[in-house]
Amino acid sequence: KECLTAYEQSATIEERIAAFEKIEFPGGPFAEAAPDFHMYGLAKMFGDVIMLRTARKYPALRVNSVDPGLVYTDLILKMPKYAGMKKEETGAQSPEEGVEGTMRLLFDCKEEENVVGKGLGVGSGKLYALNKERELVFSDIDRMPQKQE
């Protein structure tokens, strides 16, 4: 809620950065691994907020997010933790593997097939990901689907 207020009360990117620093927003999962990617965490968060608001506003429309996991791109190579590493050393997926969840959700997934829902039901406003077994799983947006019991 603080983040939305900080966003709504600022007009320029500079004001928004200052507003998020004022509320001490940590920057999401990249805050420690790559402090320079503070805004990346914000962008991911706002993408999820837009998805959730759209899903609630238009319940007949199916609107979801997909977490691709760690993907080997120039973005992770800028993080001190992964700088200079080869793909095999990072544990990251290739871009083709990273997009698999999205493609399966778009083209393969039927309501009752191919999705392990962990009891939440299929629909709109969910976060999807591939688990270690490469099954398409989902949860509410405030939980990580791969880590659900």
Side-chain angles (χ1 to χ4, degrees):
K1 205 169 190 177
E2 281 183 288
C3 291
L4 287 175
T5 301
Y7 180 82
E8 290 170 352
Q9 292 179 351
S10 55
T12 67
I13 190 68
E14 291 81 14
E15 289 176 2
R16 289 191 177 127
I17 291 170
F20 282 100
E21 288 174 350
K22 185 176 179 180
I23 65 168
E24 298 180 358
F25 178 75
F30 292 100
E32 290 179 27
D36 294 340
F37 289 96
H38 179 77
M39 298 310 291
Y40 181 83
L42 290 172
K44 297 281 287 177
M45 179 190 68
F46 282 116
D48 289 340
V49 167
I50 289 169
M51 177 278 300
L52 192 54
R53 285 182 136 182
T54 304
R56 288 178 178 163
K57 187 174 181 178
Y58 304 101
L61 184 64
R62 190 170 175 182
V63 183
N64 294 296
S65 290
V66 179
D67 177 0
L70 185 63
V71 178
Y72 189 76
T73 65
D74 59 339
L75 179 68
I76 72 163
L77 294 177
K78 293 177 183 175
M79 296 180 198
K81 181 178 180 178
Y82 301 108
M85 295 177 106
K86 295 182 178 163
K87 178 186 168 295
E88 298 75 31
E89 299 170 309
T90 64
Q93 306 176 88
S94 69
E96 292 81 9
E97 292 167 321
V99 77
E100 180 183 344
T102 301
M103 295 296 104
R104 287 176 55 190
L105 186 61
L106 284 170
F107 300 112
D108 294 346
C109 187
K110 294 179 178 57
E111 289 293 318
E112 285 83 26
E113 298 176 14
N114 303 324
V115 177
V116 179
K118 309 297 182 192
L120 294 172
V122 180
S124 199
K126 303 292 181 188
L127 174 62
Y128 285 80
L130 293 177
N131 64 15
K132 290 181 182 179
E133 293 78 32
R134 307 295 293 171
E135 298 170 308
L136 190 60
V137 296
F138 67 91
S139 71
D140 289 325
I141 194 69
D142 61 345
R143 297 188 180 111
M144 292 301 292
Q146 309 94 313
K147 299 188 181 350
Q148 301 268 332
E149 295 297 326

